Amino acid sequence: MALPQTIKNTATAAVIFGVPEDQTSYMILQSYDVRRNGTFADVRDETGKMVLRTNYDKDMTVTVTGVLDSGKTSSVPEVGDTATFAGDLFSSDDKFIVESVQVTGSNTDHLKLTVTLHWFTGIDSPSTT
């Protein structure tokens, strides 16, 4: 299959097209969403104006959606499993906890799998025991 051809102005910065290859071992990845979150504590003065904000915890949620690879159904993670995900914005050795697994079927489309993964900055080796 030929790679997509891009026509652009030479002054335009390079951009990434599509989803990088093989970021999961159990589906043909079609899209993903990365959300970095923080937990904050705020201090307000006597008039209610915010004067201080402290971010005391960080976490990240990744939702991946793809076409289920029928030859790899045994490797689909279960809720509570520890998983890794190799993305462009974060290290592939980050350990995620699987929060949800959803399968969507239709008579007009391929079987789709959506997995939501959650990472916490203070947990380097999540355990479900």
Side-chain angles (χ1 to χ4, degrees), residues 51-129:
V51 295
L52 177 67
R53 178 167 240 214
T54 302
N55 178 1
Y56 62 89
D57 196 16
K58 295 179 185 177
D59 66 276
M60 180 174 16
T61 302
V62 177
T63 302
V64 295
T65 300
V67 177
L68 189 59
D69 184 333
S70 64
K72 298 178 181 177
T73 56
S74 63
S75 62
V76 174
E78 296 283 334
V79 172
D81 282 355
T82 301
T84 58
F85 181 74
D88 299 317
L89 302 175
F90 43 91
S91 170
S92 62
D93 62 354
D94 285 339
K95 294 176 180 68
F96 293 87
I97 299 171
V98 177
E99 288 194 339
S100 69
V101 178
Q102 176 183 348
V103 177
T104 307
S106 164
N107 63 354
T108 59
D109 201 358
H110 298 281
L111 197 60
K112 298 262 175 97
L113 177 66
T114 300
V115 179
T116 301
L117 310 159
H118 204 115
W119 171 82
F120 298 91
T121 188
I123 300 176
D124 62 355
S125 183
S127 174
T128 57
T129 56

